[in-house]
Amino acid sequence: MSLDILQTPSVNFDERRQELSMLVLHYTGMETGRAALERMCDPDAKVAAHYMVEEDGQIYQLVDENKRAWHAGVASWQGLEDINSRSIGIEIVNGGHDYGMPDFPEVQIDAVITLCKDVLSRHDIFQSSIVGHSDIAPGRKDDPGEKFPWSRLCEEGVGLWPLRENALAVGSVQQLAEIGYEITAEPSRSEVYAVVKAFQQRWMQDNVTGDACLETLCRIAQVAAAYKENGKALA
């Protein structure tokens, strides 16, 4: 699939303060792609991603990759902050949880994969640094949501998706920090709920409860092991 990118400049950016090392995927969470595009180009909104991918696969570029687009907000991953400075942000047009969490069209996901691979061809971004907005802002953000096909992206070389077979280890909530999630040494119940829910939205999309059940603890162990073994491999 070739890239056909429409330039739609936004003013909602500034200069990077850190080395670019991450890729962050979002859903727009608005009724239409046009509304999302208009908002990201509105200087009063003070928000924009580098790219937006419409439902029909059309790609828009709003901010140059060398600039710090304002898409992540207050966020953390693997102990790092100022994610805006460290990342390229891709908004994927989808109404999200506020609009019924619709499926992502196949043509749209094809375009997302192609765009991600194109970005990764130019930048040293590790597999462990390809994240969703909910990964880096648990409890505050839910995108790209539990319908986003992370396993399919992995099949195309974008991110990690450890298989569940032959995994007998039982992990712990604290192992979420080994993956990259921000969690305190003695988390409150609400913090555990938020971080576990974010983990499940990414890695257990058929069981998003926020409950650290046995199945979830086993899945945490699987993902933590995959990140330890392969998470630093270049995408």
Side-chain angles (χ1 to χ4, degrees):
M1 180 178 180
S2 60
L3 285 173
D4 176 21
I5 300 177
L6 292 180
Q7 299 297 320
T8 311
S10 171
V11 297
N12 296 328
F13 67 88
D14 56 9
E15 297 299 320
R16 289 194 183 277
R17 305 161 189 167
Q18 307 290 342
E19 184 178 355
L20 196 164
S21 62
M22 296 180 65
L23 179 60
V24 181
L25 305 185
H26 309 253
Y27 65 43
T28 53
M30 299 184 71
E31 193 167 9
T32 66
R34 177 53 56 184
L37 198 64
E38 289 177 357
R39 182 167 186 264
M40 289 191 287
C41 290
D42 179 356
D44 292 332
K46 300 186 185 304
V47 62
H50 294 87
Y51 296 97
M52 189 186 85
V53 183
E54 256 288 8
E55 292 177 312
D56 62 2
Q58 178 62 62
I59 300 170
Y60 298 84
Q61 183 168 15
L62 294 90
V63 177
D64 187 277
E65 290 182 5
N66 293 324
K67 301 300 182 180
R68 178 181 180 269
W70 304 338
H71 62 95
V74 178
S76 173
W77 187 247
Q78 296 180 341
L80 301 175
E81 298 181 343
D82 191 5
I83 303 302
N84 282 338
S85 282
R86 304 177 187 276
S87 65
I88 288 175
I90 299 176
E91 288 278 359
I92 303 160
V93 175
N94 185 285
H97 295 82
D98 289 344
Y99 293 94
M101 197 63 239
D103 293 331
F104 293 87
E106 184 174 348
V107 66
Q108 183 183 42
I109 295 302
D110 286 343
V112 170
I113 290 170
T114 302
L115 176 58
C116 286
K117 293 170 77 171
D118 185 58
V119 169
L120 295 172
S121 73
R122 290 190 295 277
H123 304 286
D124 289 337
I125 297 174
F126 298 121
Q127 297 282 24
S128 59
S129 297
I130 300 171
V131 298
H133 203 182
S134 55
D135 293 319
I136 61 175
R140 186 173 70 83
K141 292 295 181 179
D142 288 314
D143 54 308
E146 55 270 22
K147 286 191 174 182
F148 187 73
W150 288 104
S151 60
R152 171 142 178 243
L153 267 68
C154 178
E155 291 173 359
E156 298 289 340
V158 180
L160 294 172
W161 187 262
L163 299 178
R164 300 194 187 199
E165 290 80 1
N166 302 321
L168 302 178
V170 178
S172 68
V173 169
Q174 286 300 335
Q175 276 189 287
L176 290 167
E178 297 177 16
I179 298 167
Y181 294 92
E182 182 177 14
I183 186 166
T184 59
E186 297 183 3
S188 65
R189 291 180 63 182
S190 60
E191 183 183 359
V192 170
Y193 174 85
V195 181
V196 167
K197 179 184 175 185
F199 173 86
Q200 291 169 336
Q201 286 177 314
R202 172 82 179 266
W203 307 102
M204 298 178 63
Q205 297 177 317
D206 57 348
N207 186 24
V208 181
T209 64
D211 178 25
C213 61
L214 179 60
E215 181 185 2
T216 298
L217 295 178
C218 290
R219 188 62 171 155
I220 290 172
Q222 294 161 18
V223 176
Y227 267 54
K228 183 177 181 179
E229 181 179 358
N230 300 311
K232 297 301 183 183
L234 279 174

